[in-house]
């Protein structure tokens, strides 16, 4: 999951970003609403963590712009205000959730997991492809009930493919998923992660297919082969 954190308190933003990265999320941070608006039109994110009192463009104005252009990106508002009127307004204009700072990381993670579940057709805690399973609560993989241990970027690639529900992902989209905006993205590295994942999935009935000119697709192997 790739997250855009929009927060002008740099100390708080750094602390929160570090905690999220410890849980294997890719996090980009900006401290102005206009900068966030520009990023959201250029890059793919899975979640927006949005402060309200931002310079240049307020959080509420950014949220309105996002929804007016038809962007359904999940948004969790993080604010110091516990005003009920403000909470109701944010939810009415398109926020998916509203948390009052200081934020407890366990609660934030639980809210993020709830949003992820709502986006899955079955609204289950588990996503499956053959005997490969992803637990949305822990973000851990298992094959036929046995845990599949993966380093962070391989896990991000496999998670992105799992959550596509049988649709292909382009190499560029996978690069967006695993790299933050301050990192040097490498298409060759994506190929390497996919190669390593294929080896680790050999004991499963799931494989990663290469669709030339399209990208990668996670699918269940056919009986007797792929």
């Amino acid at each position: 999951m790739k997250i855009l954190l929009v927060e002008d308190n740099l100390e708080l933003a750094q602390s929160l970003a570090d905690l999220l990265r410890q849980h294997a999320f890719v996090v980009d941070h900006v401290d102005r609403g206009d900068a966030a608006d520009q990023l959201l039109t250029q890059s793919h994110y899975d979640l927006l963590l949005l402060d309200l009192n931002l310079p240049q463009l307020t959080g509420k104005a950014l949220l309105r712009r996002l929804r007016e252009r038809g962007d359904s990106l999940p948004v969790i508002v993080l604010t110091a205000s516990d005003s009920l009127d403000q909470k109701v307004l944010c939810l009415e204009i398109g926020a998916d959730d509203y948390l009052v700072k200081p934020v407890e990381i366990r609660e934030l993670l639980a809210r993020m997991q709830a949003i992820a579940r709502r986006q899955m057709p079955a609204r289950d805690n588990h996503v499956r492809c053959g005997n490969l399973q992803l637990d949305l609560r822990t973000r851990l993989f298992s094959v036929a009930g046995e845990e599949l241990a993966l380093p962070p970027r391989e896990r991000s690639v496999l998670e992105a493919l799992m959550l596509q529900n049988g649709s292909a992902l382009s190499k560029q989209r996978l690069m967006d998923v695993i790299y933050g905006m301050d990192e040097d993205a490498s298409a060759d590295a994506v190929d390497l992660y996919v190669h390593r994942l294929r080896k680790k999935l050999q004991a499963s009935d799931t494989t990663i297919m290469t669709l030339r000119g399209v990208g990668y697709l996670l699918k269940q192997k056919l009986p007797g082969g792929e």
Side-chain angles (χ1 to χ4, degrees), residues 16 22 30 64 105 115-116 134 148 160 177 180-181 196 205 225:
L16 185 54
Q22 288 171 21
V30 291
R64 284 194 178 96
I105 189 65
I115 287 174
L134 168 64
L148 177 64
V177 165
M181 61 183 180
R196 289 174 177 172
D205 64 358

Side-chain angles (χ1 to χ4, degrees), residues 176-215:
D176 288 343
V177 165
I178 63 178
Y179 292 106
M181 61 183 180
D182 296 326
E183 298 177 292
D184 292 327
S186 167
D188 290 339
V190 172
D191 292 334
L192 177 61
Y193 297 140
V194 169
H195 175 72
R196 289 174 177 172
L197 283 168
R198 282 176 174 145
K199 286 188 172 182
K200 293 175 181 178
L201 291 172
Q202 284 178 349
S204 76
D205 64 358
T206 306
T207 189
I208 301 173
M209 294 183 61
T210 300
L211 303 179
R212 187 162 302 192
V214 178

